[in-house]
Amino acid sequence: MAGKFSRSWGLVKASAGVLRADKSLLAFPLLSGLCSLLVAASFLIPIGVLMIGAERAGSRYEHGLPPLAYVALFAFYLLQYFVIIFFNTALAGAALQRLRGEPTSFANGFAVARSRAGSILGYALISATVGLFLRALQERFGLIGRLVIGLLGLAWTVATFLVVPVLASQDVGPVDAVKRSVELLKRTWGENLIGSAGIGVVFGLLTFFALLVSAGLVAGAMAMQSAIALVAAVAVVVVGLTALGLIQASLQGIYAAALYRYAEEGQAGGGFDQALLEQAFKPKK
């Protein structure tokens, strides 16, 4: 277990080295988050109105949402997934350029995603269909059924772990990208996502300590009974937690790009230890 955490920490440091070399990579998750908020604000209010209207009209849907709400929810999923996958593809494209020693910039990464817009939309359609299907199933089963469906969702996440780097690197359709992601995982690392889980654990701990510090700052500001101090404390908390989220998203994107490059080309690059990558995902036995 100590060795697993040591490898995960090494992967985090190597990813951080790439991020330090090109801080423009932080812009991709930032824009993704802002656009996702706009999409959510545009759809969640109408969906809520539909549900409230159905209740006031006396409509009762024994198994889930009203039909119109499902239509609106699918459109929401589709746009949300498109935004997230688009900016993740841009991040992966820029990270792959950096790992290969090529000149890169925000504009270059954005150009990669724009050139793959059709495939990204197709993959967003697949993801939205799977997401809505799993949500509909969860509303119809009890606790055990929801746990099983949650495992199915996890299996889908694992199977599509490398879809975004595939889309960023190859001019293929969404179905072929999913197939290629599954092939690469089976051939090289299997299903033990030690490195990715390690990044999640590290940032989970950082976020926990950040929340403790944030609670202390807010409590101290309230004890001072100063509105200015309270606003300043809240601003520091928001900026700090946002920065942690952006860094984590960027590191995960860089990490996935590095793993894809190792699986596809047999090379690490960008400060990654090749032996470390070989150990991060153990082959399936």
Side-chain angles (χ1 to χ4, degrees), residues 209-272:
F209 287 119
L211 288 174
L212 290 179
V213 173
S214 300
L217 287 174
V218 173
M222 293 178 66
M224 293 172 60
Q225 296 183 348
S226 170
I228 296 177
L230 181 59
V231 170
V234 171
V236 169
V237 169
V238 171
V239 171
L241 293 178
T242 301
L244 271 179
L246 292 177
I247 294 172
Q248 180 181 5
S250 299
L251 292 182
Q252 286 175 334
I254 296 168
Y255 176 57
L259 291 174
Y260 164 78
R261 184 168 187 252
Y262 172 74
E264 193 69 69
E265 304 173 13
Q267 298 178 2
F272 282 86

Side-chain angles (χ1 to χ4, degrees), residues 21 25 35 47 51 61 90 92 98 133 137 170 185 201 209 219 223 253:
L25 297 176
C35 292
I47 291 174
M51 294 179 64
Y61 294 92
R98 172 66 61 176
F133 177 71
L137 288 179
Q170 303 178 22
L185 282 171
V201 168
F209 287 119

